Amino acid sequence: MLVSPIKQHGNSLVELMISMALGLASITAMASLVGHGIALNSSLLAKSRLDEEINAVVAVISHDLKRTGYYGHIDEVVKNPTTLSNPFDHSLSIAAYANEPANSCINFAYDRNKNGVLDTAPSNENYGYRLKDKAVEIRLDGAACDESGWHDLTDPKVVQVMALKFSFEQTTVQQITQTRVNIELQARLKKHHDISSSINTSVLIENYE
């Protein structure tokens, strides 16, 4: 007995090629989307790292500046204001290293060991911060703004500090003079110049006359 052949239906070659083309286009679009997501995530991480870096630097500077003018024996000055004076008063000054922007270096002093003396040895109680070669540096051994002997606080191979500016103003409130220091800092990543960040803040120095 003869069996009737069964007709089988399938895709033609043209339909198969169209399906492959559509699948390839979908994969390409998905790969592009994933690549864009990775690049965006990398950029956000880099920006976050830069923000953390400059926030930490400004926090260190601000915390140190708040101590300006502190005198361990201030009670003696209060008792004898005409015969005794605070050796840490008037220590706040602003200058710049050679060829760096104006007002990019700040110097100050405070009584770190609370002995009532402005010590210069073995440890020096003259402190400061400055901009030099796209790095924020910290003052060592009381070196002046235009002298060597400072130490990098930031790494210019990673973060380039493009601007650092200090300014201070004094106001009188109820016959008490208050000094406020303004800090402006701008930085960018060395490997990604398009990723930058800036901070503008101020610090109230309560011990400074």
Side-chain angles (χ1 to χ4, degrees):
M1 179 178 179
L2 297 175
V3 179
S4 300
I6 300 174
K7 292 183 179 181
Q8 296 182 354
H9 300 279
N11 295 325
S12 66
L13 180 60
V14 174
E15 290 174 328
L16 182 60
M17 292 181 66
I18 291 175
S19 298
M20 292 177 62
L22 291 174
L24 182 61
S26 299
I27 293 175
T28 302
M30 184 62 69
S32 176
L33 182 61
V34 171
H36 176 71
I38 293 175
L40 180 60
N41 185 57
S42 177
S43 177
L44 290 174
L45 287 175
K47 180 66 165 59
S48 178
R49 178 182 180 182
L50 177 62
D51 288 341
E52 289 180 2
E53 178 81 11
I54 66 173
N55 275 312
V57 170
V58 171
V60 169
I61 296 175
S62 299
H63 183 72
D64 217 13
L65 273 171
K66 288 179 180 179
R67 304 177 181 179
T68 301
Y70 171 73
Y71 180 39
H73 295 176
I74 191 63
D75 56 329
E76 297 180 6
V77 176
V78 174
K79 294 176 181 177
N80 303 289
T82 58
T83 58
L84 296 177
S85 62
N86 184 350
F88 299 91
D89 274 347
H90 312 297
S91 61
L92 186 64
S93 64
I94 296 174
Y97 185 78
N99 300 321
E100 295 291 349
N103 304 327
S104 59
C105 175
I106 190 166
N107 290 331
F108 53 94
Y110 58 84
D111 195 2
R112 189 182 187 91
N113 58 13
K114 304 179 183 180
N115 67 352
V117 178
L118 178 56
D119 296 318
T120 56
S123 61
N124 198 303
E125 293 179 323
N126 290 292
Y127 306 99
Y129 297 89
R130 74 179 181 186
L131 175 66
K132 180 178 179 292
D133 297 333
K134 295 184 173 61
V136 176
E137 296 186 333
I138 186 170
R139 187 183 189 185
L140 299 178
D141 298 326
C145 286
D146 57 354
E147 294 180 338
S148 58
W150 294 58
H151 181 71
D152 281 355
L153 189 62
T154 60
D155 185 357
K157 295 180 181 178
V158 179
V159 174
Q160 294 182 327
V161 180
M162 308 308 297
L164 178 63
K165 182 179 180 181
F166 299 100
S167 62
F168 67 91
E169 54 186 331
Q170 292 184 319
T171 57
T172 302
V173 179
Q174 295 181 351
Q175 299 183 341
I176 298 176
T177 301
Q178 294 183 337
T179 301
R180 185 175 295 275
V181 176
N182 302 310
I183 307 171
E184 299 177 36
L185 188 149
Q186 298 177 6
R188 69 185 184 188
L189 291 177
K190 179 176 174 58
K191 293 184 178 180
H192 304 279
H193 286 181
D194 58 320
I195 299 178
S196 61
S197 188
S198 63
I199 290 182
N200 190 335
T201 188
S202 62
V203 180
L204 178 62
I205 304 177
E206 298 180 354
N207 300 308
Y208 191 73
E209 178 63 35

